[in-house]
């Protein structure tokens, strides 16, 4: 069952609107890849078969699972018991976990004789201090129902932390960073001495920053008001906040910041508003995370928006002088980890291309080698 360290590893990263299957070699090189812009469904087995026909036979499969819930607090080998537990937490991340389980089930059927490892985005945040972890709600909710802040994007943060440390010439445990993962989902994280000590997402991946089509944090009183005054159902509110909000709702046209930058330049006021709200919430989230640090050694951007939208990075940093940040960043689209701030900047700004799939491969190998 233990995969050799030089054996290929298949990584399955299934999301609400995409599927990425990648076979990695021992040195992280991509041996084969399948990408789809549609959520995985009944066609998941076909996608897997097609990839497996072209790729070296994997010795293990790593699955990115967004939410591990209260019991699955470490990356773990999947057996029938673990698979049953995953069903119990699927509704905590309804856009992400069900599609991932569809692919997990298909992969276990097609590859029954290799180990399957569930790698959770929540693991990076398992050591959150109580002050950052607990909600100020009745004890029954916290103790009986497990209502607490979990945090997400942990695989992305783990990858970005290592790459940032390499760029800065320091060890991860020496660093105090704020990392902003900006993509379809958005969050920020405070890393102190190499460990997550706060993050903007909470019980579900809905809390925190404005996202592509998720609202981010909304006054809970507004939601109960919509239910009692306007008779919106919990299902209606859930669908609206997860699928019909964010940049899409503000702009009325697109949830893609590239479209919005072009629209703003053409005079589209709603596109301008969407970008203003988005970058304001990014600044607020980053500043809030800095409050958990003793110093700010660097600000790190990752995620699709973070790595390929220089206008967003510039607007965030130019208005965070209170943290020692400044504009004038190099407007590159990052293909590798780079420092984009000016030489000698008081707080360096780094861009790290997202590496969630690579991190899943690393965690899978580490678990199976008995680290």
């Amino acid at each position: 069952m233990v995969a050799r360290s030089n054996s290929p590893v298949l990584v399955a990263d299934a999301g609400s609107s995409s599927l990425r299957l990648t076979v990695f070699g021992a040195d992280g090189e991509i041996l084969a890849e399948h990408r789809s812009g549609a959520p995985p469904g009944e066609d998941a087995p076909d996608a897997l078969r097609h990839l497996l026909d072209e790729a070296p036979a994997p010795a293990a499969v790593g699955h990115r699972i967004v939410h591990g819930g209260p019991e699955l607090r470490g990356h773990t080998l999947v057996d029938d018991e673990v698979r049953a537990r995953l069903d119990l937490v699927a509704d905590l991340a309804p856009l992400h976990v069900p599609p991932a389980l569809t692919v997990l089930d298909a992969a276990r059927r097609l590859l029954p004789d290799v180990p399957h490892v569930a790698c959770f985005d929540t693991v990076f945040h398992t050591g959150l201090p109580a002050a950052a972890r607990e909600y100020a709600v009745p004890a029954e909710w916290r103790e009986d129902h497990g209502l607490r802040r979990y945090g997400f994007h942990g695989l992305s943060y783990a990858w970005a932390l290592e790459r940032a440390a390499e760029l800065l010439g320091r060890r991860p445990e020496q660093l105090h960073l704020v990392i902003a993962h900006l993509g379809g989902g958005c969050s920020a994280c405070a890393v102190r001495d190499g460990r997550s000590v706060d993050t903007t997402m909470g019980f579900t991946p809905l809390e925190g920053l404005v996202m592509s089509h998720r609202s981010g944090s909304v006054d809970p009183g507004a939601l109960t008001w919509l239910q009692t005054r306007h008779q919106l159902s919990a299902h209606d509110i859930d669908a609206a906040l997860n699928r019909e909000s964010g940049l899409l709702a503000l702009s009325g046209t697109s949830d893609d910041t590239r479209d919005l930058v072009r629209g703003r330049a053409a005079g589209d006021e709603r596109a301008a508003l969407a970008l203003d709200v988005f970058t304001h919430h990014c600044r607020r989230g980053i500043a809030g995370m800095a409050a958990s640090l003793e110093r700010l050694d660097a600000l790190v951007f990752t995620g699709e928006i973070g790595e390929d939208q220089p206008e967003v990075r510039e607007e965030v940093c130019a208005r965070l002088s209170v943290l020692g940040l400044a504009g004038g960043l190099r407007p590159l689209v990052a293909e590798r980890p780079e420092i984009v701030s000016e030489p000698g900047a008081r707080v360096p700004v780094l861009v790290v291309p997202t590496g969630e799939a690579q991190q899943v491969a690393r965690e899978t190998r580490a678990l199976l080698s008995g680290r």
Side-chain angles (χ1 to χ4, degrees), residues 61-80:
V61 185
H63 299 265
R64 180 192 172 210
I65 309 291
V66 165
H67 210 314
E71 296 181 350
L72 298 171
R73 298 171 57 83
H75 308 308
T76 187
L77 195 67
V78 178
D79 56 19
D80 290 342

Side-chain angles (χ1 to χ4, degrees), residues 39-52:
E42 294 180 357
D43 60 338
D46 291 336
L48 282 162
R49 287 191 193 95
H50 181 72
L51 182 74
L52 293 172

Side-chain angles (χ1 to χ4, degrees), residues 46-355:
D46 291 336
L48 282 162
R49 287 191 193 95
H50 181 72
L51 182 74
L52 293 172
D53 286 344
E54 299 181 345
V61 185
H63 299 265
R64 180 192 172 210
I65 309 291
V66 165
H67 210 314
E71 296 181 350
L72 298 171
R73 298 171 57 83
H75 308 308
T76 187
L77 195 67
V78 178
D79 56 19
D80 290 342
E81 180 182 353
V82 168
R83 176 61 185 85
R85 289 184 181 183
L86 290 172
D87 276 332
L88 299 178
V89 301
D91 60 346
L92 299 181
L95 297 183
H96 302 89
V97 174
L101 296 184
T102 295
V103 177
L104 172 62
D105 291 341
R108 291 182 74 200
R109 288 193 299 268
L110 288 172
L111 296 167
D113 299 322
V114 304
H116 292 256
V117 174
C119 297
F120 300 105
D121 272 304
T122 46
V123 167
F124 189 71
H125 308 289
T126 52
L128 282 178
R133 182 185 68 236
E134 299 296 334
Y135 287 113
V137 296
E140 179 184 0
W141 296 10
R142 291 181 280 115
E143 297 167 4
D144 296 346
H145 305 319
L147 195 65
R148 51 156 291 185
R149 305 187 72 251
Y150 288 96
F152 302 94
H153 290 137
L155 294 161
S156 175
Y157 289 135
W159 178 263
L161 171 60
E162 292 282 347
R163 306 290 81 71
E166 292 169 358
L167 272 179
L168 296 170
R170 298 165 71 179
R171 296 192 306 273
E173 60 269 22
Q174 296 176 314
L175 292 172
H176 286 214
L177 305 174
V178 173
I179 309 176
H181 177 107
L182 306 180
C186 300
S187 69
C189 177
V191 175
R192 185 171 67 217
D193 302 328
R195 299 176 64 85
S196 170
V197 292
D198 200 2
T199 187
T200 55
M201 281 182 170
F203 183 66
T204 75
L206 186 58
E207 185 179 356
L209 309 182
V210 171
M211 306 176 219
S212 292
H213 48 79
R214 278 175 268 169
S215 64
S217 294
V218 176
D219 181 353
L223 306 181
T224 56
W225 176 80
L226 287 169
Q227 288 181 303
T228 57
R229 180 66 65 88
H230 295 282
Q231 289 74 53
L232 268 67
S233 69
H235 179 271
D236 291 339
I237 292 174
D238 179 78
L241 295 180
N242 276 296
R243 296 179 173 86
E244 303 163 11
S245 297
L247 292 172
L248 178 64
L250 288 166
S251 71
T253 55
S254 177
D255 64 358
D256 190 322
T257 54
R258 292 168 295 188
D259 295 336
L260 300 179
V261 167
R262 288 190 291 266
R264 179 177 62 182
D268 184 335
E269 293 183 359
R270 291 188 64 181
L273 173 65
L275 287 169
D276 284 347
V277 172
F278 180 76
T279 55
H280 173 75
H281 280 256
C282 287
R283 290 190 296 270
R284 188 162 68 179
I286 290 166
M289 293 302 99
S292 290
L293 305 178
E294 296 171 8
R295 62 183 187 273
L296 183 57
D297 293 326
L299 171 62
V300 183
F301 287 99
T302 189
E304 293 176 354
I305 298 172
E307 66 191 72
D308 67 12
Q309 196 71 69
E311 295 88 350
V312 167
R313 296 195 300 262
E314 180 69 21
E315 291 174 31
V316 168
C317 293
R319 297 177 64 182
L320 274 177
S321 58
V322 67
L323 297 182
L325 292 158
L329 307 178
R330 289 193 293 136
L332 59 82
V333 174
E335 296 181 356
R336 61 183 182 273
E338 295 199 47
I339 297 174
V340 297
S341 51
E342 295 182 351
R346 178 180 166 190
V347 177
V349 178
L350 284 58
V351 179
V352 176
T354 187

